[in-house]
Amino acid sequence: KQEVTQIPAALSVPEGENLVLNCSFTDSAIYNLQWFRQDPGKGLTSLLLIQSSQREQTSGRLNASLDKSSGRSTLYIAASQPGDSATYLCAVKNTDKLIFGTGTRLQVFP
Amino acid sequence: SAVISQKPSRDICQRGTSLTIQCQVDSQVTMMFWYRQQPGQSLTLIATANQGSEATYESGFVIDKFPISRPNLTFSTLTVSNMSPEDSSIYLCSVDPMTGDETQYFGPGTRLLVL
């Protein structure tokens, strides 16, 4: 059974810092991995998707990497801003299902 | 991409009653999913809603408690039956448009509080 874990569970940083969120999964037989953002009381917004054959994806200040053999992904956020404050979720796709991680709650203060 | 709407956006219900949540997509999709997010928790898949056949439920979820309809390729409903306070959660509809980019999209969620 696929299990997805994210560390840290919560993170509070000053504005401008570069930061790394971690995601690990137990079954390396995945099709892809997605990173989502969830704002309080809102739905999910897709940030990045990495196919199982890819090593990384970039969008603006975000960079996500994938090491499928070791069951790890990282989301790198450069020059963090208060608007980045949200919960970040990683999810892996096995067959046709997305299995979600436990989430990292990020707060960026001015 | 896909734009998903859900109704209602939130509700407060009495225990023992049932609530039906609607999910509408702006394009035809094969795969529709229902997730539950309990307070302070991550998302858990309830079931996959299949068009033209019965939904496929995950371990721990049963049809009698969470009946699902999928009458066509753009619409689905999830009913939370005989509710208890433990059913207080956010319920999210999700689709995989299978248009090539494999991104899965989510609706805004339905926030349910059961008293």
Side-chain angles (χ1 to χ4, degrees):
Chain A
K1 178 186 173 186
Q2 178 75 272
E3 293 185 2
V4 184
T5 306
Q6 292 183 245
I7 55 172
L11 187 60
S12 183
V13 300
E15 181 177 9
E17 276 205 5
N18 302 323
L19 49 98
V20 175
L21 309 182
N22 297 290
C23 172
S24 61
F25 46 96
T26 55
D27 183 354
S28 62
I30 64 170
Y31 286 128
N32 60 49
L33 182 146
Q34 266 185 269
W35 283 93
F36 292 89
R37 167 185 173 139
Q38 185 175 33
D39 293 283
K42 301 284 182 65
L44 275 67
T45 301
S46 179
L47 298 173
L48 289 165
L49 181 146
I50 310 177
Q51 301 288 0
S52 62
S53 59
Q54 296 176 323
R55 297 285 291 183
E56 66 177 341
Q57 283 286 332
T58 298
S59 176
R61 293 182 294 108
L62 305 180
N63 176 277
S65 67
L66 173 64
D67 184 344
K68 200 172 78 161
S69 61
S70 67
R72 295 174 185 268
S73 176
T74 62
L75 178 66
Y76 176 82
I77 303 176
S80 57
Q81 303 170 357
D84 294 330
S85 299
T87 296
Y88 290 80
L89 296 162
C90 74
V92 298
K93 178 168 274 191
N94 286 119
T95 62
D96 57 358
K97 303 174 189 175
L98 267 187
I99 309 298
F100 279 83
T102 47
T104 293
R105 189 168 60 252
L106 172 65
Q107 181 180 9
V108 181
F109 52 90
Chain B
S1 67
V3 178
I4 306 168
S5 60
Q6 286 185 232
K7 291 181 181 179
S9 60
R10 62 179 66 237
D11 208 342
I12 301 174
C13 300
Q14 298 297 319
R15 71 172 64 211
T17 62
S18 298
L19 176 72
T20 296
I21 302 167
Q22 299 179 6
C23 175
Q24 180 75 53
V25 190
D26 69 341
S27 58
Q28 292 186 340
V29 295
T30 303
M31 308 293 286
M32 293 184 76
F33 307 90
W34 286 99
Y35 287 81
R36 179 177 74 180
Q37 186 176 30
Q38 294 177 299
Q41 304 296 313
S42 190
L43 280 75
T44 301
L45 180 63
I46 298 171
T48 302
N50 305 306
Q51 197 269 330
S53 64
E54 285 206 352
T56 305
Y57 290 83
E58 297 300 302
S59 176
F61 298 96
V62 295
I63 187 171
D64 290 347
K65 176 66 176 177
F66 298 102
I68 288 171
S69 79
R70 180 84 196 273
N72 57 52
L73 292 175
T74 63
F75 186 79
S76 178
T77 67
L78 169 75
T79 299
V80 186
S81 302
N82 188 25
M83 288 184 285
S84 67
E86 291 70 37
D87 294 319
S88 298
S89 297
I90 301 173
Y91 292 86
L92 296 111
C93 172
S94 176
V95 303
D96 180 350
M98 302 190 79
T99 53
D101 70 354
E102 298 188 35
T103 299
Q104 192 160 325
Y105 297 89
F106 283 78
T110 295
R111 284 148 191 80
L112 172 61
L113 176 63
V114 184
L115 302 177

